[in-house]
């Protein structure tokens, strides 16, 4: 390997360290049966955190909504994290090894559900890395920790935003249904009353014979 | 990395804005670590991903086909593995369309706020194969490409990192305002629903009593006409 100047090495080390904490965006997928998303975790010991929220479609009774299952599989094939029957949750775990992790959402019922999810992989350079590379400034560890703290705030915000969207969806659906059912109730009421009157009139009509009553 | 094919309609979107072109070229030229999300796509099926983007936020996306086995990413990719992509805005305008490509990229500034949908589909293969593709879609603050900003301004890496943190904090601040505004709207909606339900309850009682009264009056006059009462 060619001898690099210390400044260039510092730049490369900084770039490698600081870019290791990646940021994704909250994405939505529609899960009909199973949807798997793969995310690359570069180092062992990285904290993988994330959240997902199921945005309801038209659900009439909340007990009908079964939730979806999330299974996180490590590159070795072991299940690292499982969540069953949740309509939205946060998760966090420490990656036991580096590699490609698989996040699978499974919908046990046939109705397609839209899931909004966010996954973040965070890496904080520890003392071992510091000792290996003398150009790595300890302040970079602090900056990485700050960045991770801010990322957790952003992650929480995305979770809250997704839940708020679902809440609003439920509220609007409730409002529409209340209006519809109330109008239907009035119409049914008036129709029942009209039928009552018609029936009583028929009982007393001449061709039936009112002395039967 | 296999040679990228840039002969897609995506280049049409880049020409109007030099900044967009700079960002896209910086994204392509900078040696980025594997940041993308990887999805599986069966031939003949469609997979859609949507993201909510605010107005005037920049969105950049990169996608390329990878080997089907995530543990062997350097396996040879057959030429017949191709995907097509369409990115649509919330109002239905097509922001990007690419057909039967192995990789591509797009960038646009969101003119409308809402859910942008990126749909991938694969042509039918006999026998059906499962293709993997990596898709990196970033919008808002994460779309800003800092290495190019650093190169342009010749700033220190630490300063750049702190600038990124400052931008993140500003974004968090704006997001809190947005959440608060939405929550206020929802509270308003709930209050209106509550008052409307109370009004409808009284109306229901009123209809009940008036219908009963009408019934009684109608039957009374009916029986008086029939000379039964």
């Amino acid at each position: 390997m060619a001898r690099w100047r210390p400044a260039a090495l510092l730049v490369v080390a900084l770039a490698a360290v600081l870019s290791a904490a990646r940021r994704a965006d909250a994405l939505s997928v529609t899960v009909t049966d199973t949807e798997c998303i793969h995310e690359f975790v570069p180092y062992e010991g990285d904290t993988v955190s994330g959240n997902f929220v199921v945005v309801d479609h038209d659900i009439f009774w909340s007990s009908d909504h079964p939730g979806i299952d999330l299974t996180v599989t490590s590159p070795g094939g072991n299940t690292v994290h499982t969540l069953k029957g949740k309509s939205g949750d946060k998760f966090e775990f420490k990656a036991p090894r580096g590699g490609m992790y698989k996040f699978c959402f499974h919908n046990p019922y046939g109705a397609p559900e839209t899931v909004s999810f966010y996954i973040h992989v965070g890496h904080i350079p520890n003392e071992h890395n510091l000792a290996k590379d003398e150009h790595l400034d300890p302040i970079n560890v602090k900056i990485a920790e700050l960045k991770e703290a801010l990322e957790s705030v952003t992650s929480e915000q995305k979770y809250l935003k997704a839940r708020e969207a679902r809440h609003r969806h439920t509220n609007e659906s409730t409002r529409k249904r209340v209006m519809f059912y109330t109008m239907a109730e009035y119409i049914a009421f008036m129709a029942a009353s009209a039928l009552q009157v018609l029936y009583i009139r028929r009982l007393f009509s001449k061709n039936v014979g009112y002395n039967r009553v | 990395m296999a040679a990228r094919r840039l002969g897609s309609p995506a280049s049409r979107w880049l020409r109007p804005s030099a900044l967009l072109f700079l960002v896209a070229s910086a994204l392509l030229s900078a040696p980025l670590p594997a940041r993308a999300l990887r999805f599986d796509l069966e031939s003949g099926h469609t997979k859609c991903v949507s993201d909510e983007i605010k107005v005037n936020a920049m969105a950049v996306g990169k996608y390329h086909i990878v080997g089907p086995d995530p543990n062997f990413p350097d396996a040879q990719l057959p030429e017949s593995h191709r995907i097509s992509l369409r990115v649509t805005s919330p109002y239905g305008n097509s922001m990007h369309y690419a057909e039967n490509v192995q990789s591509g990229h797009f960038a646009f500034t969101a003119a409308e706020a809402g859910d942008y949908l990126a749909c991938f589909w694969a042509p039918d293969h006999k026998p059906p194969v499962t293709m993997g593709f990596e898709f990196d879609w970033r919008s808002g603050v994460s779309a800003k490409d800092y290495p190019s900003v650093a190169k342009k301004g010749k700033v220190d890496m630490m300063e750049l990192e702190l600038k990124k943190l400052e931008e993140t904090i500003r974004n968090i601040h704006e997001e809190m305002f947005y959440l608060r505004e939405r929550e206020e709207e929802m509270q308003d909606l709930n209050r209106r629903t509550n008052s409307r339900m109370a009004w409808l309850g009284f109306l229901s009682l009123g209809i009940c009593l008036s219908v009963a009264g009408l019934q009684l009056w109608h039957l009374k006059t009916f029986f008086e006409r029939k000379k039964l009462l």
Side-chain angles (χ1 to χ4, degrees):
Chain A
M1 191 159 89
R3 303 241 285 143
W4 290 1
R5 285 175 296 135
L9 193 58
L10 174 64
V11 166
V12 167
L14 267 174
V17 158
L18 298 172
S19 58
R22 282 125 11 88
R23 189 182 317 171
D25 244 343
L27 295 175
S28 313
V29 274
T30 307
V31 180
T32 314
D33 183 28
T34 311
E35 283 290 331
C36 285
I37 296 120
H38 306 256
E39 177 90 17
F40 182 70
V41 179
Y43 302 98
E44 172 200 331
D46 279 353
T47 312
V48 181
S49 64
N51 54 62
F52 70 95
V53 172
V54 179
V55 178
D56 296 334
H57 289 276
D58 298 314
I59 302 282
F60 282 152
W61 316 106
S62 65
S63 57
D64 259 4
H65 191 255
I68 61 168
D69 309 329
L70 166 66
T71 315
V72 186
T73 319
S74 78
N78 314 324
T79 307
V80 178
H81 197 79
T82 329
L83 283 166
K84 281 213 183 305
K86 297 272 189 167
S87 62
D89 206 0
K90 299 192 282 187
F91 59 87
E92 188 179 328
F93 60 90
K94 245 180 154 52
R97 49 177 276 204
M100 192 69 94
Y101 278 73
K102 197 157 78 155
F103 297 80
C104 281
F105 294 104
H106 174 64
N107 188 2
Y109 295 84
E113 302 282 342
T114 307
V115 178
S116 158
F117 66 92
Y118 173 71
I119 301 168
H120 170 70
V121 180
H123 173 77
I124 299 177
N126 52 13
E127 270 73 50
H128 185 60
N129 298 16
L130 273 178
K132 271 211 294 206
D133 187 358
E134 69 245 16
H135 294 283
L136 206 55
D137 206 349
I139 204 174
N140 292 120
V141 179
K142 281 289 168 225
I143 290 185
E145 280 174 16
L146 253 184
K147 195 179 193 157
E148 280 309 298
L150 281 183
E151 279 300 326
S152 77
V153 176
T154 312
S155 161
E156 186 78 26
Q157 267 188 337
K158 287 196 201 296
Y159 183 54
L160 286 176
K161 191 157 92 163
R163 275 172 67 108
E164 195 268 342
R166 185 178 69 180
H167 198 184
R168 172 186 282 246
H169 188 90
T170 308
N171 280 347
E172 280 177 0
S173 155
T174 302
R175 188 159 164 269
K176 280 200 205 100
R177 278 183 289 137
V178 157
M179 298 293 292
F180 174 68
Y181 289 148
T182 316
M183 288 302 154
E185 181 196 335
Y186 292 165
I187 291 172
F189 201 69
M190 290 195 271
S193 164
L195 278 172
Q196 259 184 335
V197 168
L198 278 174
Y199 183 65
I200 291 176
R201 281 174 68 128
R202 211 169 67 86
L203 282 175
F204 287 94
S205 66
K206 287 248 168 53
N207 42 5
V208 174
Y210 59 79
N211 47 7
R212 259 188 22 190
V213 180
Chain B
M1 183 92 48
R4 289 185 194 285
R5 297 220 303 166
L6 295 182
S8 60
S11 48
R12 257 195 297 124
W13 294 99
L14 298 177
R15 246 178 262 132
S17 167
L19 177 63
L20 238 44
F21 184 71
L22 177 69
V23 167
S25 59
L27 261 183
L28 290 172
S29 53
L32 289 175
R35 285 172 169 246
L37 287 178
R38 202 205 127 88
F39 297 88
D40 288 324
L41 185 63
E42 293 97 31
S43 43
H45 285 76
T46 312
K47 187 154 287 199
C48 288
V49 178
S50 71
D51 191 11
E52 192 176 332
I53 306 182
K54 295 209 198 58
V55 99
N56 288 335
M58 207 152 59
V60 295
K62 263 193 337 176
Y63 54 97
H64 60 100
I65 293 190
V66 294
D69 193 350
N71 294 325
F72 300 98
D74 297 324
Q76 195 64 15
L77 299 169
E79 265 299 305
S80 64
H81 281 198
R82 289 189 183 239
I83 53 174
S84 313
L85 161 67
R86 183 191 288 279
V87 181
T88 23
S89 76
Y91 291 109
N93 305 325
S94 172
M95 310 297 290
H96 169 77
Y97 178 65
E99 180 129 16
N100 281 341
V101 292
Q102 290 209 315
S103 67
H105 62 96
F106 58 88
F108 58 87
T109 309
E112 309 134 4
D115 275 319
Y116 282 76
L117 190 67
C119 278
F120 292 87
W121 68 93
D124 254 326
H125 289 114
K126 295 186 188 9
V129 296
T130 303
M131 293 183 271
F133 67 93
E134 282 201 356
F135 183 44
D136 185 13
W137 190 1
R138 295 184 236 164
S139 63
V141 72
S142 38
K144 248 169 106 166
D145 189 43
Y146 285 93
S148 68
V149 171
K151 275 188 214 126
K152 274 177 62 171
K154 293 190 184 58
V155 286
D156 189 15
M157 275 305 264
M158 191 173 304
E159 195 178 325
L160 180 73
E161 210 41 50
L162 291 175
K163 266 199 198 339
K164 268 202 244 186
L165 285 181
E166 188 190 14
E167 190 72 36
T168 311
I169 291 176
R170 193 170 298 135
N171 206 38
I172 288 177
H173 200 191
E174 275 169 14
E175 195 80 14
M176 288 303 275
F177 281 134
Y178 173 72
L179 277 177
R180 197 161 73 179
E181 198 180 287
R182 295 266 296 195
E183 200 268 341
E184 208 174 298
E185 273 175 38
M186 192 154 72
Q187 204 170 39
D188 197 38
L189 179 77
N190 281 347
R191 205 175 294 136
R192 272 190 287 135
T193 306
N194 187 22
S195 69
R196 196 172 287 215
M197 279 196 67
W199 192 77
L200 284 176
F202 281 125
L203 185 64
S204 165
L205 185 66
I207 282 188
C208 182
L209 291 175
S210 67
V211 161
L214 264 174
Q215 251 189 341
L216 278 173
W217 171 82
H218 177 80
L219 285 174
K220 189 158 175 303
T221 52
F222 175 70
F223 286 142
E224 278 168 359
R225 255 190 304 125
K226 295 278 182 201
K227 305 212 177 30
L228 287 169
L229 277 175

